[in-house]
Amino acid sequence: AENRTDNTQITAGAVPVITVNGYPGLRQQWGIVTEVISGTQLRISPGLYDDYADLAVDVHIASAQLNGVGIEYFTLNGLHGSMYKGIDMQQCVDSWVQNVAVRGSANFGIAIAYSVFCEIRKCDIRDRQGFGSNGGGFIPGASSACLFEDNIIKGFFPNIEVNSSASGNVFAYNFCYFPVSFNNGGIDILSNHSAHNHYNLYEGNVGKMLMSDGYFGSASEDTLFRNWLTGTGA
């Protein structure tokens, strides 16, 4: 890749990777090494989402790893305390959260990062204490090949916020909404707040809006398919 003084990094296929802070290497993908073919060749899963044959590719090893762990069927209630974040998944493989309710966190509901082949299904995340930045109902970032399906997220800002080169994930049939007290404000799905998210699918989600705000940089190759985005208030 070519690092430029205007903070733009050009990658394979002339797709610009832009960061307001000038950070390199923001087009990333997470996976599992299934075979070491040679000192410079690896077989990985999932396979690369794009052709990077003309680029030098760096491989970074996770510092820890949690495999095959599930969290199911309970409620986290922070309405009478100061719960900063309901669930925080990091460096997980083949793990899941299902039928979990998160109520009244001060900032975030469920977050996942540096993970691959994980699922979050049928969760109910709502009623954040307070309002403002540094708060989101569902915060997926820096993860690949994950499925986020059939969840309800209410009253966070935003309800779903995708960050940090999340790639190859599916966001399907999630329901997002805001209480009347938001006065028609709020964002249901923020598909790109921290660069560079790519190759994510948004299908069948319900809410009033989806935004790629580019606040910290770029995104590319995402797909929106059959969502119901009303463009209205609460």
Side-chain angles (χ1 to χ4, degrees):
E2 174 193 0
N3 289 317
R4 296 161 39 130
T5 57
D6 62 355
N7 294 333
T8 301
Q9 185 181 64
I10 303 300
T11 66
V15 174
V17 178
I18 301 170
T19 165
V20 299
N21 296 311
Y23 297 139
L26 290 183
R27 189 175 173 93
Q28 303 172 10
Q29 180 176 330
W30 283 262
I32 303 298
V33 175
T34 59
E35 182 182 358
V36 179
I37 300 172
S38 69
T40 58
Q41 291 182 305
L42 302 173
R43 182 166 284 113
I44 64 172
S45 179
L48 292 176
Y49 297 133
D50 209 327
D51 180 5
Y52 304 108
D54 57 343
L55 292 177
V57 176
D58 295 326
V59 177
H60 300 271
I61 301 173
S63 60
Q65 184 173 313
L66 191 66
N67 289 52
V69 174
I71 302 174
E72 300 182 352
Y73 295 98
F74 68 89
T75 296
L76 290 164
N77 190 339
L79 290 172
H80 303 291
S82 57
M83 182 172 69
Y84 171 73
K85 187 183 296 183
I87 296 174
D88 190 4
M89 302 172 63
Q90 295 197 25
Q91 300 186 88
C92 295
V93 179
D94 292 322
S95 298
W96 67 95
V97 179
Q98 180 173 313
N99 283 292
V100 170
V102 178
R103 299 284 186 273
S105 66
N107 293 80
F108 305 99
I110 298 178
I112 180 171
Y114 312 114
S115 299
V116 63
F117 297 130
C118 293
E119 295 187 4
I120 296 180
R121 291 174 176 266
K122 298 182 183 299
C123 293
D124 189 328
I125 309 166
R126 63 178 70 198
D127 302 330
R128 176 190 176 191
Q129 296 189 56
F131 187 75
S133 61
N134 295 317
F138 177 41
I139 309 292
S143 298
S144 297
C146 295
L147 174 63
F148 312 113
E149 182 179 45
D150 199 19
N151 302 289
I152 298 172
I153 309 101
K154 171 197 171 187
F156 282 78
F157 182 74
N159 282 319
I160 298 175
E161 180 184 306
V162 187
N163 289 314
S164 304
S165 199
S167 58
N169 302 295
V170 175
F171 301 86
Y173 305 99
N174 301 290
F175 181 72
C176 301
Y177 72 110
F178 293 95
V180 175
S181 59
F182 271 65
N183 295 322
N184 297 335
I187 301 169
D188 285 304
I189 303 174
L190 182 51
S191 65
N192 177 53
H193 187 61
S194 179
H196 176 99
N197 306 314
H198 54 288
Y199 287 110
N200 296 301
L201 170 64
Y202 299 86
E203 178 177 346
N205 301 288
V206 175
K208 69 173 184 176
M209 66 178 299
L210 183 149
M211 174 189 292
S212 176
D213 71 356
Y215 192 87
F216 290 105
S218 56
S220 65
E221 295 122 345
D222 284 347
T223 299
L224 279 65
F225 182 60
R226 298 193 303 189
N227 299 282
W228 184 21
L229 303 172
T230 64
T232 63

